[in-house]
Amino acid sequence: MQHAITLSQQLELFKEYKGKLAKVAGANKSATIIKDSLYVLSAGSSDFLQNYYVNPLLNKVYTADQYGSYLVSSFNTFVKGLYGLGGRRLGLTSLPPLGCLPAARTIFGYHESGCVSQFNTDAQQFNKKIGSAVANLQKQLPGMKIVVFDIFKPLYDLVKKPSDFGFTEARRGCCGTGTIETTVLLCNPKSVGTCPNATQYVFWDSVHPSQAANQVLADALIVDGISLLG
């Protein structure tokens, strides 16, 4: 994960942005903008799928539960840092059913016909940890509103019964072979084997849901989103 910008680095960049905003809008106006803005955090999927599960230096030393606790600790530090900089509204996506992602099935699911059950169990345990952390943070930080967008169940339902939602393929992505490719370089509309109609696929590549699937997820989470605005 050398290409990733860490949460601590993101806070430093946000602090830099806050300083620039103050120069443009003035101290009072910029503080209001920071306070009323919505912040969205999506973290954990790549940490598990592209780091923990494939890195023996991690998975041979730490259990998935211990690794999850480490990630939650980083999340706690990030939220407190954001709060200290004036942020008050945070939306957080839960982990998806990791074991149902095409890449997970390809690399780790050779012994199972469906989703990789252990990965889904790990994701559910991590989501419970995040839920508890959020509850504690809201008690510790007056005025902080955090909403968890639980994408596990709606995406799991899409994978298990795609036809109920108008999809025809949920085991592989539209792009390329749909089993392992990701990133723009390996996966784009011109990649060999890319399907002609991505709207029929739950996944665009081996990790990310298609635009059509994301619309279904967004519709399922709209009420949670509205609560963040209140």
Side-chain angles (χ1 to χ4, degrees), residues 39 41 43 68 71-80 82-83 88-95 125-150 224 227-228:
Y39 304 89
L41 177 63
L71 295 179
V72 170
S73 176
S74 296
F75 166 72
N76 280 327
T77 300
F78 173 82
V79 174
K80 291 175 182 177
L82 178 65
Y83 183 85
R88 291 296 182 271
R89 298 180 181 183
L90 175 65
L92 170 70
T93 59
S94 72
L95 279 187
Q125 290 178 336
F126 177 80
N127 289 342
K128 287 181 181 178
K129 286 178 181 288
I130 282 291
S132 296
V134 166
N136 288 331
L137 284 166
Q138 293 194 125
K139 291 177 183 177
Q140 297 172 26
L141 308 174
M144 187 69 182
K145 178 175 285 189
I146 309 174
V147 173
V148 178
F149 298 115
D150 182 8
D224 292 332
S227 71
L228 192 58

Side-chain angles (χ1 to χ4, degrees), residues 5-20 85:
I5 301 176
T6 66
L7 290 180
S8 59
Q9 289 173 326
Q10 290 181 50
L11 279 180
E12 287 301 314
L13 291 172
F14 181 60
K15 188 184 298 182
E16 182 181 323
Y17 161 77
K18 184 181 176 182
K20 292 178 179 178
L85 291 170

Side-chain angles (χ1 to χ4, degrees), residues 72-210:
V72 170
S73 176
S74 296
F75 166 72
N76 280 327
T77 300
F78 173 82
V79 174
K80 291 175 182 177
L82 178 65
Y83 183 85
L85 291 170
R88 291 296 182 271
R89 298 180 181 183
L90 175 65
L92 170 70
T93 59
S94 72
L95 279 187
L98 293 173
C100 296
L101 304 183
R105 288 185 172 194
T106 299
I107 302 171
F108 303 99
Y110 53 88
H111 61 296
E112 297 183 59
S113 58
C115 302
V116 183
S117 57
Q118 183 57 54
F119 286 13
N120 283 350
T121 297
D122 292 342
Q124 288 174 307
Q125 290 178 336
F126 177 80
N127 289 342
K128 287 181 181 178
K129 286 178 181 288
I130 282 291
S132 296
V134 166
N136 288 331
L137 284 166
Q138 293 194 125
K139 291 177 183 177
Q140 297 172 26
L141 308 174
M144 187 69 182
K145 178 175 285 189
I146 309 174
V147 173
V148 178
F149 298 115
D150 182 8
I151 61 173
F152 185 99
K153 187 180 187 306
L155 185 53
Y156 184 79
D157 290 343
L158 272 178
V159 170
K160 286 301 181 180
K161 297 182 178 180
S163 60
D164 287 1
F165 301 89
F167 296 93
T168 60
E169 178 60 68
R171 292 183 59 86
R172 63 186 183 89
C174 163
C175 180
T177 66
T179 59
I180 197 68
E181 300 96 333
T182 184
T183 78
V184 175
L185 292 177
L186 296 176
C187 205
N188 59 70
K190 295 183 179 180
S191 298
V192 176
T194 297
C195 72
N197 188 3
T199 60
Q200 297 178 348
Y201 283 65
V202 172
F203 294 98
W204 161 243
D205 59 18
S206 66
V207 173
H208 303 98
S210 65

